[in-house]
Amino acid sequence: MNTRVPTVLITGALLAATTACGARSLDSGASGAPAAAEVVLDQAPAEEKAADVINAITPDKDLAAKVPASVKSGGLKVVSSIGYPPMELWASDGKTAIGFDPALARAIARKLGVKYTLTDEEFNSQIPGVLTGRYDFVISSMTDNPERQAKISFVDYVQAGSGMLVKKGNPAGIAGPADLCGKTVSVVDNGSSMELAEKYDADCKSGGKQALTILKFAGDTEAMLQVSNGRAQATITDYVVAAYKAADPKVGVDAVTLEGTESPWGIGMKPDNTALIDSVKGALDSLIKSGEYGKLLAAWNLDKLAVQSAVVNGGK
């Protein structure tokens, strides 16, 4: 997630401008109101799994009234790092961002009654881009932790952790780390997945059980292949990756959560931009309360990441 190269600006407003049904007015006054009073809301692309949910979202007038003037006039400028499905990925045209993070950003923009643009940036450039004002917020599967809180403030939008992939139907009966004792596990070398595998291996040994056999690979694809070909009974990865693979019936795997590994991922903003932080928090809380947030998660098979309310700087 931290080696992406800047590529393209996705301008949702231009897409929306071609669809007349995307126009909504924030002014409930007479039909003769000036055209300038209307805000053309972004239409989600057809390949966005939650498109119907997003396109049905209408502005909350109370929240829209409190949006910072710069966002009202210039739209919500969002940055992400595309290439981490199902959180962020390219549509088949290679230039339109879809996935849960773009979906939620679009939903927040619609709830606030503003336009939306999303830029793909290399991960390490995102926080500096927010701090310099180039972007209003970053939503890029970014963990909310104290180190990052020293620079930016977060509105936490999911609780994400690690997970495992096992063969469809889970024939080895792996429900948690204790079930890995004596099993073969594949992981990406020199990453958090390998650290977890080594921890579980040590736990098995200290508990008088059989050790894990750990197969190490350069990337997720190779590690996951070992489950498909039967060399490993499980592979450890990020839960969002596991959920994405499990949603594809052609892959033939099930996702298993690893309880206790969760941490909040947040939407990052400048700490002194309290009006925007309040607006984003209010929009997310509104989406949660209405059930639209849950539908966005369900569309991408990410129900288990749900939070019950929007929390500011919940990472510890």
Side-chain angles (χ1 to χ4, degrees):
M1 282 297 298
N2 58 1
T3 58
R4 305 300 194 287
V5 177
T7 54
V8 68
L9 178 70
I10 304 99
T11 308
L14 294 179
L15 295 174
T18 65
T19 310
C21 63
R24 296 288 189 276
S25 175
L26 298 183
D27 183 358
S28 61
S31 59
E38 293 187 350
V39 175
V40 178
L41 299 181
D42 298 295
Q43 295 290 294
E47 288 183 53
E48 167 55 58
K49 293 184 178 182
D52 290 346
V53 178
I54 296 168
N55 293 339
I57 295 172
T58 56
D60 180 306
K61 292 186 179 180
D62 291 336
L63 290 173
K66 299 175 183 177
V67 172
S70 61
V71 176
K72 286 182 181 178
S73 61
L76 192 63
K77 299 186 290 292
V78 179
V79 63
S80 191
S81 187
I82 312 303
Y84 185 59
M87 300 305 288
E88 312 99 9
L89 63 155
W90 294 119
S92 58
D93 63 6
K95 59 183 181 181
T96 303
I98 58 174
F100 182 73
D101 282 352
L104 184 60
R106 285 181 184 274
I108 288 171
R110 289 183 67 96
K111 187 65 71 172
L112 297 177
V114 297
K115 298 177 182 179
Y116 153 94
T117 58
L118 186 148
T119 301
D120 177 39
E121 280 274 14
E122 186 269 331
F123 193 80
N124 291 330
S125 300
Q126 294 170 355
I127 290 177
V130 169
L131 294 177
T132 59
R134 183 178 178 188
Y135 309 114
D136 295 308
F137 73 57
V138 51
I139 181 167
S140 191
S141 305
M142 185 175 285
T143 300
D144 171 5
N145 58 35
E147 180 182 1
R148 290 186 176 128
Q149 288 172 18
K151 299 177 182 178
I152 60 175
S153 290
F154 290 99
V155 171
D156 298 335
Y157 66 104
V158 292
Q159 282 276 351
S162 298
M164 295 183 287
L165 281 172
V166 298
K167 273 197 172 181
K168 194 73 176 176
N170 199 0
I174 298 172
D179 299 320
L180 295 175
C181 299
K183 304 288 197 309
T184 299
V185 178
S186 57
V187 297
V188 175
D189 197 7
N190 294 322
S192 58
S193 298
M194 187 181 75
E195 291 174 3
L196 279 176
E198 291 175 339
K199 177 184 181 301
Y200 299 151
D201 178 52
D203 290 344
C204 288
K205 292 174 181 175
S206 65
K209 299 180 180 179
Q210 285 185 287
L212 276 66
T213 299
I214 303 174
L215 306 178
K216 303 175 185 178
F217 297 90
D220 266 333
T221 300
E222 298 95 328
M224 291 176 191
L225 179 62
Q226 308 313 305
V227 173
S228 300
N229 65 24
R231 285 190 66 200
Q233 285 77 57
T235 184
I236 299 173
T237 184
D238 290 344
Y239 178 76
V240 295
V241 175
Y244 183 66
K245 293 295 184 181
D248 184 351
K250 293 180 293 185
V251 180
V253 293
D254 287 335
V256 178
T257 57
L258 284 169
E259 303 293 341
T261 62
E262 300 87 352
S263 60
W265 289 358
I267 299 169
M269 290 159 279
K270 289 180 69 173
D272 61 357
N273 198 347
T274 55
L276 181 62
I277 293 170
D278 289 344
S279 293
V280 172
K281 181 181 185 301
L284 180 54
D285 272 329
S286 179
L287 291 166
I288 292 172
K289 185 177 180 180
S290 68
E292 292 158 327
Y293 165 81
K295 291 177 181 178
L296 296 181
L297 284 169
W300 288 100
N301 195 34
L302 297 172
D303 309 65
K304 294 183 179 180
L305 274 61
V307 295
Q308 301 306 307
S309 64
V311 174
V312 176
N313 292 335
K316 306 299 182 186

